[in-house]
Amino acid sequence: MKQWLATVFLLILLGLVIFTTFSEKDEVEQQKPSATQETGMVAPNAPDGLQVGEKAPDFSLETLNGETVNLSDYRGKKVFLNYWATWCPPCREEMPEMQKFHEKYGEEVVILAVNGTGTEKKTEDVDRFVKDGNYTFPILLDKELEINQTYQILSIPTTYFIGIDGIIQEPRIVGPMTYEMMEEKKNALE
């Protein structure tokens, strides 16, 4: 009888060891980031942002000067809706290119540079950055990050291209734009 109890006890211990080993392995596997998370790519089931052919959602935001601007105010004009922040190196890289483009094509294309103000340390940083760079296109403040959510901004800078009909007409660009890219998008919009 003692031998039988010892065997049962050993089998139970062996079972517990096996169970614990597999439970810990599953836990480790669940905590590992997926390949897409490790490389910074968007997972296949993540929102892809607004798509070509969709109506650009209207919004109202304040400018640095305290004026209220609505996207619908620009119906009938081509619009580049650019989402950025002062702490973002690629955003800082593309701003001079956008200013150069604005100076040449500002009558034909409106650049609305929406600052993710809710991610900034303080609004004064945005004002200082704009003044230091002599940027003259409209700077809008997304204090509550509403536009970030509405336009499904996952990475900045992100730019949407809206035609005169208020429809997104070109695929968005995630990352900094060059002057040449802006010219191509301007020519593609109707």
Side-chain angles (χ1 to χ4, degrees), residues 59 61-62 71 79-86 91 95 98 111-117 120 126 137-143 145-148 151 153 156-158:
F59 57 80
L61 291 176
E62 283 187 12
L71 176 61
V79 176
F80 288 7
L81 181 65
N82 177 267
Y83 202 87
W84 68 285
T86 62
C91 301
M95 291 296 264
M98 291 190 337
I111 294 176
L112 294 179
V114 179
N115 174 265
T117 315
E120 300 282 357
V126 180
F137 44 86
I139 305 293
L140 310 179
L141 305 176
D142 189 12
K143 295 176 183 174
L145 303 178
E146 294 171 36
I147 305 311
N148 181 289
Y151 280 79
I153 307 294
I156 57 174
T158 293

PDB file of all heavy atoms in Angstrom, residues 59 61-62 71 79-86 91 95 98 111-117 120 126 137-143 145-148 151 153 156-158:
ATOM      1  N   PHE A  59     -14.453  69.760 -38.869  1.00  0.00           N
ATOM      2  CA  PHE A  59     -14.050  70.035 -37.490  1.00  0.00           C
ATOM      3  C   PHE A  59     -13.909  71.534 -37.306  1.00  0.00           C
ATOM      4  O   PHE A  59     -13.864  72.290 -38.274  1.00  0.00           O
ATOM      5  CB  PHE A  59     -12.728  69.342 -37.146  1.00  0.00           C
ATOM      6  CG  PHE A  59     -11.588  69.708 -38.047  1.00  0.00           C
ATOM      7  CD1 PHE A  59     -10.872  70.887 -37.881  1.00  0.00           C
ATOM      8  CD2 PHE A  59     -11.218  68.855 -39.088  1.00  0.00           C
ATOM      9  CE1 PHE A  59      -9.814  71.216 -38.721  1.00  0.00           C
ATOM     10  CE2 PHE A  59     -10.165  69.186 -39.928  1.00  0.00           C
ATOM     11  CZ  PHE A  59      -9.459  70.370 -39.741  1.00  0.00           C
ATOM     12  N   LEU A  61     -11.417  74.108 -34.994  1.00  0.00           N
ATOM     13  CA  LEU A  61     -10.273  74.236 -34.096  1.00  0.00           C
ATOM     14  C   LEU A  61      -9.846  75.700 -34.040  1.00  0.00           C
ATOM     15  O   LEU A  61     -10.087  76.462 -34.983  1.00  0.00           O
ATOM     16  CB  LEU A  61      -9.079  73.406 -34.588  1.00  0.00           C
ATOM     17  CG  LEU A  61      -9.190  71.896 -34.522  1.00  0.00           C
ATOM     18  CD1 LEU A  61      -7.954  71.248 -35.143  1.00  0.00           C
ATOM     19  CD2 LEU A  61      -9.375  71.409 -33.093  1.00  0.00           C
ATOM     20  N   GLU A  62      -9.181  76.062 -32.955  1.00  0.00           N
ATOM     21  CA  GLU A  62      -8.639  77.404 -32.833  1.00  0.00           C
ATOM     22  C   GLU A  62      -7.249  77.470 -33.438  1.00  0.00           C
ATOM     23  O   GLU A  62      -6.500  76.498 -33.402  1.00  0.00           O
ATOM     24  CB  GLU A  62      -8.538  77.808 -31.357  1.00  0.00           C
ATOM     25  CG  GLU A  62      -9.840  78.200 -30.744  1.00  0.00           C
ATOM     26  CD  GLU A  62      -9.666  78.762 -29.332  1.00  0.00           C
ATOM     27  OE1 GLU A  62      -8.519  79.064 -28.921  1.00  0.00           O
ATOM     28  OE2 GLU A  62     -10.682  78.889 -28.644  1.00  0.00           O
ATOM     29  N   LEU A  71     -12.908  73.118 -41.114  1.00  0.00           N
ATOM     30  CA  LEU A  71     -12.445  72.541 -42.378  1.00  0.00           C
ATOM     31  C   LEU A  71     -13.389  72.938 -43.507  1.00  0.00           C
ATOM     32  O   LEU A  71     -12.947  73.259 -44.612  1.00  0.00           O
ATOM     33  CB  LEU A  71     -12.347  71.008 -42.272  1.00  0.00           C
ATOM     34  CG  LEU A  71     -11.963  70.282 -43.560  1.00  0.00           C
ATOM     35  CD1 LEU A  71     -10.583  70.731 -44.048  1.00  0.00           C
ATOM     36  CD2 LEU A  71     -11.988  68.781 -43.345  1.00  0.00           C
ATOM     37  N   VAL A  79      -6.938  71.047 -50.134  1.00  0.00           N
ATOM     38  CA  VAL A  79      -6.436  71.164 -48.756  1.00  0.00           C
ATOM     39  C   VAL A  79      -5.466  70.034 -48.451  1.00  0.00           C
ATOM     40  O   VAL A  79      -5.759  68.864 -48.717  1.00  0.00           O
ATOM     41  CB  VAL A  79      -7.605  71.129 -47.737  1.00  0.00           C
ATOM     42  CG1 VAL A  79      -7.077  71.144 -46.301  1.00  0.00           C
ATOM     43  CG2 VAL A  79      -8.577  72.274 -47.966  1.00  0.00           C
ATOM     44  N   PHE A  80      -4.327  70.407 -47.900  1.00  0.00           N
ATOM     45  CA  PHE A  80      -3.410  69.439 -47.301  1.00  0.00           C
ATOM     46  C   PHE A  80      -3.647  69.547 -45.801  1.00  0.00           C
ATOM     47  O   PHE A  80      -3.382  70.596 -45.196  1.00  0.00           O
ATOM     48  CB  PHE A  80      -1.949  69.781 -47.575  1.00  0.00           C
ATOM     49  CG  PHE A  80      -1.475  69.556 -48.982  1.00  0.00           C
ATOM     50  CD1 PHE A  80      -2.336  69.199 -50.012  1.00  0.00           C
ATOM     51  CD2 PHE A  80      -0.141  69.719 -49.292  1.00  0.00           C
ATOM     52  CE1 PHE A  80      -1.863  68.998 -51.308  1.00  0.00           C
ATOM     53  CE2 PHE A  80       0.341  69.525 -50.573  1.00  0.00           C
ATOM     54  CZ  PHE A  80      -0.522  69.164 -51.598  1.00  0.00           C
ATOM     55  N   LEU A  81      -4.149  68.494 -45.197  1.00  0.00           N
ATOM     56  CA  LEU A  81      -4.384  68.461 -43.753  1.00  0.00           C
ATOM     57  C   LEU A  81      -3.230  67.699 -43.123  1.00  0.00           C
ATOM     58  O   LEU A  81      -3.142  66.481 -43.223  1.00  0.00           O
ATOM     59  CB  LEU A  81      -5.725  67.792 -43.445  1.00  0.00           C
ATOM     60  CG  LEU A  81      -6.111  67.703 -41.970  1.00  0.00           C
ATOM     61  CD1 LEU A  81      -6.332  69.096 -41.393  1.00  0.00           C
ATOM     62  CD2 LEU A  81      -7.355  66.864 -41.808  1.00  0.00           C
ATOM     63  N   ASN A  82      -2.320  68.447 -42.505  1.00  0.00           N
ATOM     64  CA  ASN A  82      -1.083  67.883 -41.961  1.00  0.00           C
ATOM     65  C   ASN A  82      -1.163  67.852 -40.442  1.00  0.00           C
ATOM     66  O   ASN A  82      -1.462  68.868 -39.820  1.00  0.00           O
ATOM     67  CB  ASN A  82       0.107  68.731 -42.421  1.00  0.00           C
ATOM     68  CG  ASN A  82       1.410  68.269 -41.841  1.00  0.00           C
ATOM     69  OD1 ASN A  82       1.843  68.753 -40.802  1.00  0.00           O
ATOM     70  ND2 ASN A  82       2.057  67.336 -42.515  1.00  0.00           N
ATOM     71  N   TYR A  83      -0.886  66.676 -39.843  1.00  0.00           N
ATOM     72  CA  TYR A  83      -0.921  66.528 -38.388  1.00  0.00           C
ATOM     73  C   TYR A  83       0.509  66.392 -37.890  1.00  0.00           C
ATOM     74  O   TYR A  83       1.260  65.541 -38.372  1.00  0.00           O
ATOM     75  CB  TYR A  83      -1.743  65.297 -38.002  1.00  0.00           C
ATOM     76  CG  TYR A  83      -2.261  65.364 -36.594  1.00  0.00           C
ATOM     77  CD1 TYR A  83      -3.474  65.983 -36.308  1.00  0.00           C
ATOM     78  CD2 TYR A  83      -1.530  64.839 -35.540  1.00  0.00           C
ATOM     79  CE1 TYR A  83      -3.954  66.066 -35.021  1.00  0.00           C
ATOM     80  CE2 TYR A  83      -1.998  64.919 -34.242  1.00  0.00           C
ATOM     81  CZ  TYR A  83      -3.209  65.537 -33.987  1.00  0.00           C
ATOM     82  OH  TYR A  83      -3.673  65.621 -32.702  1.00  0.00           O
ATOM     83  N   TRP A  84       0.901  67.214 -36.901  1.00  0.00           N
ATOM     84  CA  TRP A  84       2.293  67.301 -36.489  1.00  0.00           C
ATOM     85  C   TRP A  84       2.413  67.692 -35.014  1.00  0.00           C
ATOM     86  O   TRP A  84       1.426  68.022 -34.370  1.00  0.00           O
ATOM     87  CB  TRP A  84       3.020  68.332 -37.349  1.00  0.00           C
ATOM     88  CG  TRP A  84       2.538  69.738 -37.088  1.00  0.00           C
ATOM     89  CD1 TRP A  84       1.356  70.291 -37.512  1.00  0.00           C
ATOM     90  CD2 TRP A  84       3.199  70.732 -36.324  1.00  0.00           C
ATOM     91  NE1 TRP A  84       1.249  71.574 -37.048  1.00  0.00           N
ATOM     92  CE2 TRP A  84       2.369  71.881 -36.310  1.00  0.00           C
ATOM     93  CE3 TRP A  84       4.404  70.776 -35.644  1.00  0.00           C
ATOM     94  CZ2 TRP A  84       2.707  73.056 -35.646  1.00  0.00           C
ATOM     95  CZ3 TRP A  84       4.747  71.949 -34.975  1.00  0.00           C
ATOM     96  CH2 TRP A  84       3.903  73.073 -34.993  1.00  0.00           C
ATOM     97  N   ALA A  85       3.655  67.707 -34.514  1.00  0.00           N
ATOM     98  CA  ALA A  85       3.970  68.187 -33.166  1.00  0.00           C
ATOM     99  C   ALA A  85       5.387  68.756 -33.160  1.00  0.00           C
ATOM    100  O   ALA A  85       6.226  68.347 -33.971  1.00  0.00           O
ATOM    101  CB  ALA A  85       3.863  67.051 -32.145  1.00  0.00           C
ATOM    102  N   THR A  86       5.656  69.673 -32.257  1.00  0.00           N
ATOM    103  CA  THR A  86       6.978  70.316 -32.208  1.00  0.00           C
ATOM    104  C   THR A  86       8.076  69.352 -31.788  1.00  0.00           C
ATOM    105  O   THR A  86       9.234  69.536 -32.160  1.00  0.00           O
ATOM    106  CB  THR A  86       6.996  71.511 -31.228  1.00  0.00           C
ATOM    107  OG1 THR A  86       6.711  71.041 -29.909  1.00  0.00           O
ATOM    108  CG2 THR A  86       5.997  72.568 -31.630  1.00  0.00           C
ATOM    109  N   CYS A  91       8.531  65.829 -38.316  1.00  0.00           N
ATOM    110  CA  CYS A  91       7.633  66.974 -38.507  1.00  0.00           C
ATOM    111  C   CYS A  91       8.456  68.245 -38.682  1.00  0.00           C
ATOM    112  O   CYS A  91       8.180  69.060 -39.568  1.00  0.00           O
ATOM    113  CB  CYS A  91       6.709  67.143 -37.295  1.00  0.00           C
ATOM    114  SG  CYS A  91       5.660  65.727 -36.929  1.00  0.00           S
ATOM    115  N   MET A  95       8.524  70.897 -42.124  1.00  0.00           N
ATOM    116  CA  MET A  95       7.908  72.225 -42.015  1.00  0.00           C
ATOM    117  C   MET A  95       8.518  73.261 -42.972  1.00  0.00           C
ATOM    118  O   MET A  95       7.768  73.998 -43.617  1.00  0.00           O
ATOM    119  CB  MET A  95       7.959  72.727 -40.562  1.00  0.00           C
ATOM    120  CG  MET A  95       7.057  71.955 -39.610  1.00  0.00           C
ATOM    121  SD  MET A  95       5.309  72.094 -39.981  1.00  0.00           S
ATOM    122  CE  MET A  95       4.861  73.411 -38.874  1.00  0.00           C
ATOM    123  N   MET A  98       7.080  72.655 -46.330  1.00  0.00           N
ATOM    124  CA  MET A  98       5.683  73.093 -46.423  1.00  0.00           C
ATOM    125  C   MET A  98       5.607  74.613 -46.566  1.00  0.00           C
ATOM    126  O   MET A  98       4.777  75.122 -47.318  1.00  0.00           O
ATOM    127  CB  MET A  98       4.879  72.611 -45.200  1.00  0.00           C
ATOM    128  CG  MET A  98       4.686  71.115 -45.208  1.00  0.00           C
ATOM    129  SD  MET A  98       3.539  70.390 -43.996  1.00  0.00           S
ATOM    130  CE  MET A  98       3.409  71.510 -42.686  1.00  0.00           C
ATOM    131  N   ILE A 111      -2.712  74.761 -46.796  1.00  0.00           N
ATOM    132  CA  ILE A 111      -2.100  73.837 -45.836  1.00  0.00           C
ATOM    133  C   ILE A 111      -2.697  74.156 -44.474  1.00  0.00           C
ATOM    134  O   ILE A 111      -2.576  75.283 -43.981  1.00  0.00           O
ATOM    135  CB  ILE A 111      -0.565  73.996 -45.782  1.00  0.00           C
ATOM    136  CG1 ILE A 111       0.067  73.587 -47.097  1.00  0.00           C
ATOM    137  CG2 ILE A 111       0.007  73.185 -44.625  1.00  0.00           C
ATOM    138  CD1 ILE A 111       1.576  73.799 -47.161  1.00  0.00           C
ATOM    139  N   LEU A 112      -3.369  73.172 -43.890  1.00  0.00           N
ATOM    140  CA  LEU A 112      -3.851  73.291 -42.512  1.00  0.00           C
ATOM    141  C   LEU A 112      -2.963  72.384 -41.670  1.00  0.00           C
ATOM    142  O   LEU A 112      -3.064  71.162 -41.748  1.00  0.00           O
ATOM    143  CB  LEU A 112      -5.320  72.860 -42.402  1.00  0.00           C
ATOM    144  CG  LEU A 112      -6.344  73.729 -43.135  1.00  0.00           C
ATOM    145  CD1 LEU A 112      -7.744  73.159 -42.946  1.00  0.00           C
ATOM    146  CD2 LEU A 112      -6.288  75.173 -42.637  1.00  0.00           C
ATOM    147  N   ALA A 113      -2.093  72.994 -40.893  1.00  0.00           N
ATOM    148  CA  ALA A 113      -1.157  72.239 -40.060  1.00  0.00           C
ATOM    149  C   ALA A 113      -1.767  72.105 -38.666  1.00  0.00           C
ATOM    150  O   ALA A 113      -1.785  73.059 -37.895  1.00  0.00           O
ATOM    151  CB  ALA A 113       0.187  72.949 -40.008  1.00  0.00           C
ATOM    152  N   VAL A 114      -2.289  70.924 -38.388  1.00  0.00           N
ATOM    153  CA  VAL A 114      -2.956  70.671 -37.109  1.00  0.00           C
ATOM    154  C   VAL A 114      -1.921  70.150 -36.118  1.00  0.00           C
ATOM    155  O   VAL A 114      -1.368  69.066 -36.297  1.00  0.00           O
ATOM    156  CB  VAL A 114      -4.109  69.658 -37.271  1.00  0.00           C
ATOM    157  CG1 VAL A 114      -4.763  69.385 -35.924  1.00  0.00           C
ATOM    158  CG2 VAL A 114      -5.130  70.160 -38.284  1.00  0.00           C
ATOM    159  N   ASN A 115      -1.681  70.938 -35.098  1.00  0.00           N
ATOM    160  CA  ASN A 115      -0.722  70.555 -34.066  1.00  0.00           C
ATOM    161  C   ASN A 115      -1.410  69.687 -33.020  1.00  0.00           C
ATOM    162  O   ASN A 115      -2.469  70.045 -32.513  1.00  0.00           O
ATOM    163  CB  ASN A 115      -0.133  71.808 -33.403  1.00  0.00           C
ATOM    164  CG  ASN A 115       0.761  71.468 -32.240  1.00  0.00           C
ATOM    165  OD1 ASN A 115       0.324  71.459 -31.101  1.00  0.00           O
ATOM    166  ND2 ASN A 115       2.016  71.173 -32.528  1.00  0.00           N
ATOM    167  N   GLY A 116      -0.797  68.554 -32.696  1.00  0.00           N
ATOM    168  CA  GLY A 116      -1.312  67.684 -31.638  1.00  0.00           C
ATOM    169  C   GLY A 116      -1.013  68.318 -30.287  1.00  0.00           C
ATOM    170  O   GLY A 116      -0.195  67.809 -29.515  1.00  0.00           O
ATOM    171  N   THR A 117      -1.678  69.420 -30.007  1.00  0.00           N
ATOM    172  CA  THR A 117      -1.385  70.240 -28.837  1.00  0.00           C
ATOM    173  C   THR A 117      -1.533  69.467 -27.529  1.00  0.00           C
ATOM    174  O   THR A 117      -0.829  69.746 -26.563  1.00  0.00           O
ATOM    175  CB  THR A 117      -2.292  71.492 -28.829  1.00  0.00           C
ATOM    176  OG1 THR A 117      -2.300  72.047 -30.145  1.00  0.00           O
ATOM    177  CG2 THR A 117      -1.790  72.539 -27.866  1.00  0.00           C
ATOM    178  N   GLU A 120       1.790  68.234 -26.456  1.00  0.00           N
ATOM    179  CA  GLU A 120       2.849  69.221 -26.227  1.00  0.00           C
ATOM    180  C   GLU A 120       2.953  69.537 -24.731  1.00  0.00           C
ATOM    181  O   GLU A 120       1.967  69.422 -23.997  1.00  0.00           O
ATOM    182  CB  GLU A 120       2.549  70.521 -26.978  1.00  0.00           C
ATOM    183  CG  GLU A 120       2.423  70.374 -28.481  1.00  0.00           C
ATOM    184  CD  GLU A 120       3.756  70.273 -29.203  1.00  0.00           C
ATOM    185  OE1 GLU A 120       4.818  70.371 -28.565  1.00  0.00           O
ATOM    186  OE2 GLU A 120       3.727  70.093 -30.426  1.00  0.00           O
ATOM    187  N   VAL A 126       4.536  75.676 -29.126  1.00  0.00           N
ATOM    188  CA  VAL A 126       4.045  75.688 -30.509  1.00  0.00           C
ATOM    189  C   VAL A 126       4.205  77.090 -31.083  1.00  0.00           C
ATOM    190  O   VAL A 126       4.727  77.270 -32.190  1.00  0.00           O
ATOM    191  CB  VAL A 126       2.564  75.239 -30.581  1.00  0.00           C
ATOM    192  CG1 VAL A 126       2.066  75.244 -32.015  1.00  0.00           C
ATOM    193  CG2 VAL A 126       2.381  73.876 -29.932  1.00  0.00           C
ATOM    194  N   PHE A 137       1.501  79.517 -42.906  1.00  0.00           N
ATOM    195  CA  PHE A 137       0.267  78.785 -43.187  1.00  0.00           C
ATOM    196  C   PHE A 137      -0.492  78.597 -41.865  1.00  0.00           C
ATOM    197  O   PHE A 137       0.095  78.703 -40.781  1.00  0.00           O
ATOM    198  CB  PHE A 137       0.539  77.451 -43.888  1.00  0.00           C
ATOM    199  CG  PHE A 137       1.684  76.664 -43.302  1.00  0.00           C
ATOM    200  CD1 PHE A 137       1.499  75.810 -42.233  1.00  0.00           C
ATOM    201  CD2 PHE A 137       2.961  76.778 -43.835  1.00  0.00           C
ATOM    202  CE1 PHE A 137       2.542  75.086 -41.695  1.00  0.00           C
ATOM    203  CE2 PHE A 137       4.023  76.056 -43.306  1.00  0.00           C
ATOM    204  CZ  PHE A 137       3.809  75.209 -42.233  1.00  0.00           C
ATOM    205  N   PRO A 138      -1.799  78.333 -41.934  1.00  0.00           N
ATOM    206  CA  PRO A 138      -2.586  78.219 -40.703  1.00  0.00           C
ATOM    207  C   PRO A 138      -2.114  77.068 -39.803  1.00  0.00           C
ATOM    208  O   PRO A 138      -1.950  75.941 -40.253  1.00  0.00           O
ATOM    209  CB  PRO A 138      -4.009  77.956 -41.201  1.00  0.00           C
ATOM    210  CG  PRO A 138      -4.030  78.447 -42.608  1.00  0.00           C
ATOM    211  CD  PRO A 138      -2.639  78.245 -43.132  1.00  0.00           C
ATOM    212  N   ILE A 139      -1.929  77.387 -38.524  1.00  0.00           N
ATOM    213  CA  ILE A 139      -1.570  76.400 -37.502  1.00  0.00           C
ATOM    214  C   ILE A 139      -2.786  76.254 -36.592  1.00  0.00           C
ATOM    215  O   ILE A 139      -3.213  77.217 -35.950  1.00  0.00           O
ATOM    216  CB  ILE A 139      -0.353  76.853 -36.668  1.00  0.00           C
ATOM    217  CG1 ILE A 139       0.859  77.176 -37.548  1.00  0.00           C
ATOM    218  CG2 ILE A 139      -0.030  75.808 -35.597  1.00  0.00           C
ATOM    219  CD1 ILE A 139       1.467  76.000 -38.269  1.00  0.00           C
ATOM    220  N   LEU A 140      -3.348  75.059 -36.551  1.00  0.00           N
ATOM    221  CA  LEU A 140      -4.535  74.786 -35.742  1.00  0.00           C
ATOM    222  C   LEU A 140      -4.134  73.952 -34.532  1.00  0.00           C
ATOM    223  O   LEU A 140      -3.235  73.113 -34.615  1.00  0.00           O
ATOM    224  CB  LEU A 140      -5.584  74.049 -36.571  1.00  0.00           C
ATOM    225  CG  LEU A 140      -5.910  74.663 -37.935  1.00  0.00           C
ATOM    226  CD1 LEU A 140      -6.954  73.828 -38.663  1.00  0.00           C
ATOM    227  CD2 LEU A 140      -6.386  76.090 -37.788  1.00  0.00           C
ATOM    228  N   LEU A 141      -4.826  74.166 -33.411  1.00  0.00           N
ATOM    229  CA  LEU A 141      -4.472  73.518 -32.152  1.00  0.00           C
ATOM    230  C   LEU A 141      -5.492  72.431 -31.791  1.00  0.00           C
ATOM    231  O   LEU A 141      -6.642  72.734 -31.501  1.00  0.00           O
ATOM    232  CB  LEU A 141      -4.388  74.557 -31.033  1.00  0.00           C
ATOM    233  CG  LEU A 141      -3.434  75.727 -31.302  1.00  0.00           C
ATOM    234  CD1 LEU A 141      -3.511  76.744 -30.168  1.00  0.00           C
ATOM    235  CD2 LEU A 141      -2.012  75.244 -31.510  1.00  0.00           C
ATOM    236  N   ASP A 142      -5.029  71.202 -31.791  1.00  0.00           N
ATOM    237  CA  ASP A 142      -5.868  70.056 -31.405  1.00  0.00           C
ATOM    238  C   ASP A 142      -5.607  69.756 -29.925  1.00  0.00           C
ATOM    239  O   ASP A 142      -4.923  68.803 -29.574  1.00  0.00           O
ATOM    240  CB  ASP A 142      -5.546  68.846 -32.288  1.00  0.00           C
ATOM    241  CG  ASP A 142      -6.522  67.700 -32.101  1.00  0.00           C
ATOM    242  OD1 ASP A 142      -7.579  67.899 -31.464  1.00  0.00           O
ATOM    243  OD2 ASP A 142      -6.231  66.593 -32.596  1.00  0.00           O
ATOM    244  N   LYS A 143      -6.183  70.605 -29.057  1.00  0.00           N
ATOM    245  CA  LYS A 143      -5.912  70.535 -27.617  1.00  0.00           C
ATOM    246  C   LYS A 143      -6.428  69.247 -26.988  1.00  0.00           C
ATOM    247  O   LYS A 143      -5.825  68.712 -26.068  1.00  0.00           O
ATOM    248  CB  LYS A 143      -6.527  71.739 -26.916  1.00  0.00           C
ATOM    249  CG  LYS A 143      -5.895  73.050 -27.322  1.00  0.00           C
ATOM    250  CD  LYS A 143      -6.590  74.227 -26.684  1.00  0.00           C
ATOM    251  CE  LYS A 143      -5.981  75.532 -27.175  1.00  0.00           C
ATOM    252  NZ  LYS A 143      -6.721  76.690 -26.672  1.00  0.00           N
ATOM    253  N   LEU A 145      -7.057  66.442 -28.728  1.00  0.00           N
ATOM    254  CA  LEU A 145      -6.683  65.347 -29.633  1.00  0.00           C
ATOM    255  C   LEU A 145      -7.888  64.722 -30.326  1.00  0.00           C
ATOM    256  O   LEU A 145      -7.893  63.543 -30.659  1.00  0.00           O
ATOM    257  CB  LEU A 145      -5.860  64.284 -28.892  1.00  0.00           C
ATOM    258  CG  LEU A 145      -4.580  64.801 -28.227  1.00  0.00           C
ATOM    259  CD1 LEU A 145      -3.876  63.682 -27.478  1.00  0.00           C
ATOM    260  CD2 LEU A 145      -3.653  65.435 -29.244  1.00  0.00           C
ATOM    261  N   GLU A 146      -8.903  65.550 -30.579  1.00  0.00           N
ATOM    262  CA  GLU A 146     -10.107  65.082 -31.268  1.00  0.00           C
ATOM    263  C   GLU A 146      -9.813  64.730 -32.725  1.00  0.00           C
ATOM    264  O   GLU A 146     -10.301  63.726 -33.232  1.00  0.00           O
ATOM    265  CB  GLU A 146     -11.205  66.150 -31.204  1.00  0.00           C
ATOM    266  CG  GLU A 146     -11.717  66.406 -29.809  1.00  0.00           C
ATOM    267  CD  GLU A 146     -12.641  67.599 -29.746  1.00  0.00           C
ATOM    268  OE1 GLU A 146     -13.409  67.829 -30.700  1.00  0.00           O
ATOM    269  OE2 GLU A 146     -12.599  68.325 -28.732  1.00  0.00           O
ATOM    270  N   ILE A 147      -9.031  65.567 -33.395  1.00  0.00           N
ATOM    271  CA  ILE A 147      -8.719  65.319 -34.805  1.00  0.00           C
ATOM    272  C   ILE A 147      -7.837  64.090 -34.908  1.00  0.00           C
ATOM    273  O   ILE A 147      -7.978  63.280 -35.821  1.00  0.00           O
ATOM    274  CB  ILE A 147      -8.026  66.549 -35.444  1.00  0.00           C
ATOM    275  CG1 ILE A 147      -8.870  67.807 -35.251  1.00  0.00           C
ATOM    276  CG2 ILE A 147      -7.727  66.309 -36.919  1.00  0.00           C
ATOM    277  CD1 ILE A 147     -10.332  67.666 -35.617  1.00  0.00           C
ATOM    278  N   ASN A 148      -6.948  63.922 -33.960  1.00  0.00           N
ATOM    279  CA  ASN A 148      -6.104  62.730 -33.904  1.00  0.00           C
ATOM    280  C   ASN A 148      -6.979  61.480 -33.927  1.00  0.00           C
ATOM    281  O   ASN A 148      -6.699  60.539 -34.663  1.00  0.00           O
ATOM    282  CB  ASN A 148      -5.242  62.783 -32.637  1.00  0.00           C
ATOM    283  CG  ASN A 148      -4.312  61.613 -32.500  1.00  0.00           C
ATOM    284  OD1 ASN A 148      -4.739  60.496 -32.247  1.00  0.00           O
ATOM    285  ND2 ASN A 148      -3.038  61.876 -32.657  1.00  0.00           N
ATOM    286  N   TYR A 151      -9.386  61.341 -37.361  1.00  0.00           N
ATOM    287  CA  TYR A 151      -8.631  61.007 -38.569  1.00  0.00           C
ATOM    288  C   TYR A 151      -7.725  59.787 -38.380  1.00  0.00           C
ATOM    289  O   TYR A 151      -6.974  59.435 -39.269  1.00  0.00           O
ATOM    290  CB  TYR A 151      -7.830  62.227 -39.048  1.00  0.00           C
ATOM    291  CG  TYR A 151      -8.696  63.196 -39.816  1.00  0.00           C
ATOM    292  CD1 TYR A 151      -9.542  64.077 -39.153  1.00  0.00           C
ATOM    293  CD2 TYR A 151      -8.701  63.215 -41.200  1.00  0.00           C
ATOM    294  CE1 TYR A 151     -10.357  64.957 -39.846  1.00  0.00           C
ATOM    295  CE2 TYR A 151      -9.508  64.084 -41.907  1.00  0.00           C
ATOM    296  CZ  TYR A 151     -10.337  64.957 -41.220  1.00  0.00           C
ATOM    297  OH  TYR A 151     -11.148  65.813 -41.922  1.00  0.00           O
ATOM    298  N   ILE A 153      -5.020  59.089 -36.590  1.00  0.00           N
ATOM    299  CA  ILE A 153      -3.591  59.361 -36.738  1.00  0.00           C
ATOM    300  C   ILE A 153      -2.829  58.396 -35.837  1.00  0.00           C
ATOM    301  O   ILE A 153      -2.978  58.429 -34.623  1.00  0.00           O
ATOM    302  CB  ILE A 153      -3.256  60.818 -36.348  1.00  0.00           C
ATOM    303  CG1 ILE A 153      -4.128  61.825 -37.090  1.00  0.00           C
ATOM    304  CG2 ILE A 153      -1.768  61.084 -36.526  1.00  0.00           C
ATOM    305  CD1 ILE A 153      -3.931  61.906 -38.567  1.00  0.00           C
ATOM    306  N   ILE A 156       3.082  60.399 -36.581  1.00  0.00           N
ATOM    307  CA  ILE A 156       3.176  61.740 -37.141  1.00  0.00           C
ATOM    308  C   ILE A 156       4.553  61.964 -37.740  1.00  0.00           C
ATOM    309  O   ILE A 156       5.506  61.320 -37.304  1.00  0.00           O
ATOM    310  CB  ILE A 156       2.856  62.836 -36.089  1.00  0.00           C
ATOM    311  CG1 ILE A 156       3.763  62.724 -34.884  1.00  0.00           C
ATOM    312  CG2 ILE A 156       1.403  62.785 -35.701  1.00  0.00           C
ATOM    313  CD1 ILE A 156       3.594  63.851 -33.888  1.00  0.00           C
ATOM    314  N   PRO A 157       4.624  62.815 -38.745  1.00  0.00           N
ATOM    315  CA  PRO A 157       3.530  63.554 -39.359  1.00  0.00           C
ATOM    316  C   PRO A 157       2.669  62.648 -40.246  1.00  0.00           C
ATOM    317  O   PRO A 157       3.156  61.648 -40.775  1.00  0.00           O
ATOM    318  CB  PRO A 157       4.246  64.603 -40.210  1.00  0.00           C
ATOM    319  CG  PRO A 157       5.564  63.973 -40.564  1.00  0.00           C
ATOM    320  CD  PRO A 157       5.928  63.126 -39.368  1.00  0.00           C
ATOM    321  N   THR A 158       1.421  63.009 -40.366  1.00  0.00           N
ATOM    322  CA  THR A 158       0.495  62.354 -41.290  1.00  0.00           C
ATOM    323  C   THR A 158      -0.222  63.458 -42.051  1.00  0.00           C
ATOM    324  O   THR A 158      -0.650  64.443 -41.448  1.00  0.00           O
ATOM    325  CB  THR A 158      -0.534  61.486 -40.539  1.00  0.00           C
ATOM    326  OG1 THR A 158       0.142  60.379 -39.937  1.00  0.00           O
ATOM    327  CG2 THR A 158      -1.607  60.952 -41.484  1.00  0.00           C
TER     328      THR A 158
END
